[in-house]
Amino acid sequence: MTDANETVHRYLAVWNETDPARRQALIAESWAEGAIYVDPLMQGRGHAEIDGLVAAVQERFPGFRFELIGEADGHGDNLRFSWGFGPADGEALIKGTDFALIEGGRLKAVHGFLDQVPAAA
């Protein structure tokens, strides 16, 4: 397996990239062709659907960014890490933990869990 933190930083770079062409290039580099993403709110399969999910999150939360919380943990082809999501210069309002499967150095599957979500206003 490639370095766990390096893989996670590439993963988070996808979620933080607002330029569609650069984001699609990052997805092609870091995700396997038929990769899947699943969390409690959305799911997608393949590069185009994953790109669509990222674009939708960015549209709903303009100016928010994902940051790694702590260190990524990996063994074999498995990866676990926690993240925070909030305003670029503020505190993370949403926090979660993702579990990923790596294949050939690229993400094959990511399953996300929400650990902290603000109460609806």
Side-chain angles (χ1 to χ4, degrees):
M1 174 174 171
T2 58
D3 176 76
N5 283 308
E6 177 185 326
T7 300
V8 171
H9 285 291
R10 285 194 326 251
Y11 170 79
L12 295 176
V14 167
W15 286 96
N16 290 329
E17 182 54 65
T18 57
D19 179 86
R22 286 197 301 254
R23 183 176 60 243
Q24 291 162 9
L26 287 170
I27 290 170
E29 290 173 13
S30 56
W31 289 77
E33 195 64 39
I36 62 167
Y37 176 87
V38 179
D39 74 20
L41 304 174
M42 58 190 182
Q43 61 184 0
R45 178 178 296 278
H47 293 177
E49 288 184 15
I50 291 167
D51 180 54
L53 297 176
V54 174
V57 169
Q58 290 177 356
E59 184 177 319
R60 182 168 179 196
F61 299 98
F64 277 39
R65 303 209 24 101
F66 284 90
E67 297 289 335
L68 179 64
I69 296 175
E71 297 288 320
D73 183 27
H75 64 84
D77 290 334
N78 299 285
L79 182 61
R80 174 183 66 179
F81 58 96
S82 294
W83 48 265
F85 183 60
D89 294 324
E91 185 177 330
L93 302 176
I94 302 169
K95 295 179 182 177
T97 301
D98 288 3
F99 297 87
L101 181 60
I102 309 299
E103 181 177 76
R106 295 165 66 194
L107 295 161
K108 179 179 180 178
V110 177
H111 293 85
F113 294 81
L114 301 174
D115 300 330
Q116 174 185 308
V117 179

